[in-house]
Amino acid sequence: MGVTKQKWARLRAWGAWLYPGAWLRPQGSAGCGACAVIRAGSGERVAMAGYSVEERAAPHSLEYRLFFKDAAGRYISPFHDIPLYADAGENVFNMVVEVPRWTNAKMEIATKDPLNPIKQDVKKGKLRYVANVFPHKGYIWNYGAIPQTWEDPGHKDENTGCCGDNDPIDVCEIGSKVCSRGEVIKVKVLGTLALIDEGETDWKIIAINVEDPEAENYNDISDVRRMKPGYLEATVDWFRRYKVPDGKPENQFAFNGEFKDKDFAVNVIKSTHEHWKALIAKKTDGGEISCTNLTVSGSPFCCSQECAKATVDAAPPCKAANPIPPEGKFPNSHCILVRTSSEKLSVGESRLTATGFVRNVSFLIMLFSCHITCTGPLLPCCGT
């Protein structure tokens, strides 16, 4: 029996998940791919769904910005001008990819900047990177946001009892392709996880690219459990622990960390879309959020293309990438969270290893390349 294209795609996907970097490389400024063609010297590349992006300043710098254009080459806001739906009849949504899978730079739509370009998050004057909390390498999905949504910080969610986090709703795309930063893809929603991040509701939508070879096999959150056993557990583990290496406590979840199904997730998205509509129509106070847009009918924040172009032209020109600072270099290191004797030993803990036996074996192998330092009740141990 031969290996079909579909089986080979699944094998590559699982191989990439277990051994990141061995099979797939993120496309974009560090590589080349059909969906992310760099035009040399221009800082411009073609994205999916008729959109393109234009880089300004140097990657790995505080000034770096990634601006968006529509199919006609007009500057737009990815937050406000890209439609919520790719196909409303089929509940297919647009997703703006902020962080390609396996990368560490914490990129996000700049909600307070005019035109809302993608930029790297900054904390205490330094660019933010997520650590490799074992057994994960960077972000374990293509991570991004659904446009025209907003988690209102003035609205207490009836499901979580907490107010929104003031951002577009987040998406974890689980398909086999490693997307490019700034790519706009069409996704099928499968479910959601309710993260409580420092007292704020931060929904995480689980979705799959409709163009994925196996997308037709995924229709609800139960299909993820069946097709990718351990992936949802790994997702909870990632969100629970990713801030621990920075000295913060583990994150908490509503519903005891259980995933809600597709219908629940779609309703959450629709609710955040209603909050966004109030925001863009100035019917609610958005605080420092920039609502500048070019296409939203009736919005008092509409601006001209000349104004949008002036905003982009004011940004520094595209430059070669800066060296990654020390806090962003995680190619061969992991933070291993070791529990003390008052808790179960983490080496054999399936919740930490995510995929059971294979990941336990990987854990033992990785111990040979990691330096373990014990510092407290929950021990962040960083390899170099």
Side-chain angles (χ1 to χ4, degrees):
M1 294 178 64
V3 179
T4 64
K5 289 184 178 180
Q6 189 177 44
K7 289 181 179 179
W8 178 242
R10 183 185 295 181
L11 178 61
R12 285 177 61 85
W14 276 103
W17 184 35
L18 291 172
Y19 302 102
W23 297 75
L24 299 169
R25 294 178 182 273
Q27 298 171 1
S29 59
C32 60
C35 299
V37 181
I38 299 291
R39 294 181 186 141
S42 70
E44 191 170 315
R45 67 173 185 249
V46 178
M48 293 288 285
Y51 299 101
S52 62
V53 289
E54 181 178 324
E55 290 183 309
R56 288 287 175 144
H60 313 305
S61 74
L62 297 174
E63 299 79 20
Y64 177 79
R65 297 293 186 273
L66 191 66
F67 289 94
F68 284 70
K69 294 180 178 180
D70 64 12
R74 296 170 296 201
Y75 292 109
I76 59 170
S77 160
F79 186 3
H80 306 303
D81 291 313
I82 296 176
L84 173 75
Y85 288 105
D87 186 338
E90 296 295 327
N91 271 335
V92 174
F93 296 87
N94 282 313
M95 171 186 173
V96 178
V97 177
E98 298 165 315
V99 186
R101 183 187 289 115
W102 309 136
T103 61
N104 297 79
K106 192 177 187 303
M107 310 299 295
E108 61 184 16
I109 290 174
T111 58
K112 298 177 182 178
D113 287 11
L115 297 183
N116 314 115
I118 289 177
K119 70 172 186 178
Q120 188 163 354
D121 193 21
V122 176
K123 186 173 183 180
K124 296 181 179 178
K126 291 186 177 181
L127 299 172
R128 288 189 66 186
Y129 297 85
V130 299
N132 296 330
V133 178
F134 190 83
H136 314 302
K137 169 63 179 77
Y139 287 75
I140 62 175
W141 348 255
N142 295 305
Y143 191 73
I146 295 179
Q148 297 189 345
T149 62
W150 180 51
E151 297 192 62
D152 185 353
H155 172 76
K156 181 178 288 188
D157 190 288
E158 62 181 7
N159 296 293
T160 67
C162 298
C163 294
D165 71 345
N166 206 29
D167 284 323
I169 199 165
D170 297 321
V171 190
C172 304
E173 193 279 319
I174 65 170
S176 58
K177 175 187 175 183
V178 179
C179 293
S180 307
R181 182 187 306 150
E183 193 170 342
V184 180
I185 61 175
K186 302 173 184 179
V187 297
K188 181 194 298 187
V189 169
L190 304 172
T192 189
L193 177 69
L195 174 67
I196 306 301
D197 189 353
E198 299 182 17
E200 297 176 332
T201 301
D202 191 3
W203 292 103
K204 305 299 180 183
I205 301 296
I206 307 301
I208 189 167
N209 190 336
V210 297
E211 296 184 0
D212 189 86
E214 295 194 343
E216 64 181 16
N217 297 321
Y218 290 85
N219 296 293
D220 213 323
I221 200 69
S222 59
D223 295 320
V224 183
R225 292 192 179 92
R226 177 174 57 86
M227 299 286 288
K228 293 188 176 183
Y231 206 174
L232 295 181
E233 290 80 1
T235 295
V236 172
D237 180 71
W238 195 95
F239 281 118
R240 187 190 305 277
R241 301 170 186 270
Y242 81 101
K243 290 185 177 181
V244 172
D246 296 328
K248 292 187 176 182
E250 292 184 353
N251 280 324
Q252 303 300 314
F253 304 89
F255 311 115
N256 295 318
E258 295 179 2
F259 287 81
K260 292 298 183 178
D261 64 13
K262 174 182 179 176
D263 290 340
F264 188 101
V266 169
N267 285 332
V268 168
I269 295 170
K270 289 180 178 178
S271 174
T272 59
H273 180 57
E274 292 301 315
H275 293 306
W276 170 84
K277 288 197 292 186
L279 171 72
I280 204 69
K282 208 174 181 179
K283 293 181 179 179
T284 189
D285 182 13
E288 297 180 2
I289 287 183
S290 173
C291 294
T292 301
N293 68 87
L294 291 95
T295 65
V296 182
S297 177
S299 171
F301 302 103
C302 274
C303 75
S304 66
Q305 187 58 210
E306 290 73 20
C307 178
K309 186 176 185 302
T311 297
V312 178
D313 289 344
C318 180
K319 299 178 182 178
N322 288 344
I324 299 177
E327 60 268 22
K329 292 182 178 179
F330 300 112
N332 299 306
S333 65
H334 280 75
C335 293
I336 303 176
L337 308 182
V338 181
R339 294 180 178 273
T340 59
S341 58
S342 62
E343 299 178 80
K344 292 182 179 179
L345 186 65
S346 62
V347 172
E349 190 175 24
S350 61
R351 184 166 67 108
L352 182 67
T353 57
T355 56
F357 175 76
V358 174
R359 289 273 173 136
N360 283 334
V361 172
S362 299
F363 184 94
L364 296 176
I365 294 173
M366 279 298 301
L367 284 177
F368 289 99
S369 61
C370 295
H371 304 288
I372 298 179
T373 306
C374 299
T375 61
L378 184 62
L379 309 176
C381 306
C382 297
T384 56

